[in-house]
Amino acid sequence: MKKLNLYPKVLFLCMCVLTIVSCGKLELLKNEDSNGTDAGANLKEQTIQQFLLADHSSDLTELDLFASAVKRSGLMDMLGKSEDYTMVLLTNPAVKQLLATVGYTSVDQVPPIILKNLLGDLIIKGKLKSTDLSLDETRKIETINGNYIYYSRTSNASDQYVLRINQNSTLGSTAAVVRSQDLEFNNGVAQVTAQFTFYRLLDDKPDEADEGGM
């Protein structure tokens, strides 16, 4: 009978241990991950170039227009090298905003130099993740074009890692909220947004459309 009486106590102890371990894991996820980090696949074996060259026309990423824009800009080869980069990826709605900004209706119409200027300001050297920023921190970082991009981390009731791009009062462009963050590749990190943003000071004018298309 004594052995039978020990069983509920042992069961209770096991449940307590499992609860403590589970809480520890939840706390770790809470502190290091955010709601938007799950890309649905392990991308660490690919370069950013390899990812963008894959067919995204029928998947849920909505990155096919962006991949076309990167190809036309001439930046695709750079994204296949071993040097690390952090890049903001634009979904189809964001690319359509880009096209409207420069006065074209398709990626193929935009002069490559304009795309290179706009997309180059979404790329920095090295790796930068949301977890590298302190809460309420904003970093101004030089882009590969020699301009700047702003990364800001804030929080809300459910997420300690809300990441925004170009949220700064000196800029004339709209800030973008990152919807899928910290996607890790073997040569860098990507931040995905559905809002087009670019480096433009309040007193600057955006690139004008070239009616000749070249």
Side-chain angles (χ1 to χ4, degrees):
M1 295 298 293
K2 290 183 179 180
K3 290 183 179 180
L4 291 176
N5 290 333
L6 285 175
Y7 179 77
K9 295 180 180 179
V10 173
L11 180 60
F12 177 77
L13 179 60
C14 290
M15 292 178 65
C16 289
V17 171
L18 288 173
T19 300
I20 293 171
V21 172
S22 298
C23 288
K25 290 182 178 179
L26 289 173
E27 187 65 23
L28 182 64
L29 290 172
K30 180 180 178 182
N31 289 338
E32 295 188 359
D33 294 331
S34 75
N35 292 337
T37 57
D38 186 5
N42 186 351
L43 305 173
K44 293 183 179 180
E45 300 303 316
Q46 302 181 54
T47 63
I48 300 174
Q49 179 198 60
Q50 289 172 323
F51 175 73
L52 291 176
L53 288 175
D55 183 8
H56 294 294
S57 61
S58 59
D59 61 26
L60 298 178
T61 64
E62 292 190 294
L63 291 172
D64 50 300
L65 290 181
F66 182 73
S68 297
V70 173
K71 289 178 189 177
R72 186 163 174 78
S73 73
L75 293 170
M76 190 66 83
D77 287 344
M78 181 192 74
L79 299 174
K81 297 180 180 180
S82 58
E83 185 174 2
D84 288 337
Y85 293 98
T86 299
M87 185 175 191
V88 178
L89 308 185
L90 305 176
T91 63
N92 289 345
V95 174
K96 291 176 182 178
Q97 290 176 8
L98 181 158
L99 294 174
T101 299
V102 294
Y104 293 92
T105 57
S106 72
V107 170
D108 291 339
Q109 293 177 347
V110 186
I113 187 61
I114 291 181
L115 289 174
K116 186 175 182 180
N117 287 339
L118 293 173
L119 300 185
D121 277 342
L122 299 178
I123 306 172
I124 61 174
K125 291 183 177 181
K127 293 183 178 182
L128 180 65
K129 299 171 64 177
S130 63
T131 50
D132 296 324
L133 300 175
S134 301
L135 184 60
D136 296 324
E137 178 184 0
T138 294
R139 291 191 193 181
K140 179 183 179 182
I141 308 164
E142 186 174 357
T143 68
I144 62 169
N145 282 349
N147 290 320
Y148 295 94
I149 189 170
Y150 293 82
Y151 276 76
S152 301
R153 177 196 157 194
T154 58
S155 65
N156 58 35
S158 61
D159 191 353
Q160 293 296 306
Y161 293 90
V162 178
L163 191 62
R164 288 182 172 85
I165 308 298
N166 285 340
Q167 184 172 3
N168 190 274
S169 59
T170 66
L171 298 182
S173 59
T174 303
V177 179
V178 174
R179 77 168 196 183
S180 296
Q181 62 185 245
D182 303 341
L183 308 186
E184 291 192 72
F185 298 88
N186 67 20
N187 68 338
V189 175
Q191 315 289 354
V192 182
T193 179
Q195 299 167 276
F196 172 53
T197 183
F198 60 103
Y199 181 80
R200 178 168 65 88
L201 297 175
L202 284 171
D203 56 352
D204 287 344
K205 293 182 179 180
D207 290 317
E208 295 181 354
D210 183 348
E211 295 183 0
M214 292 297 293

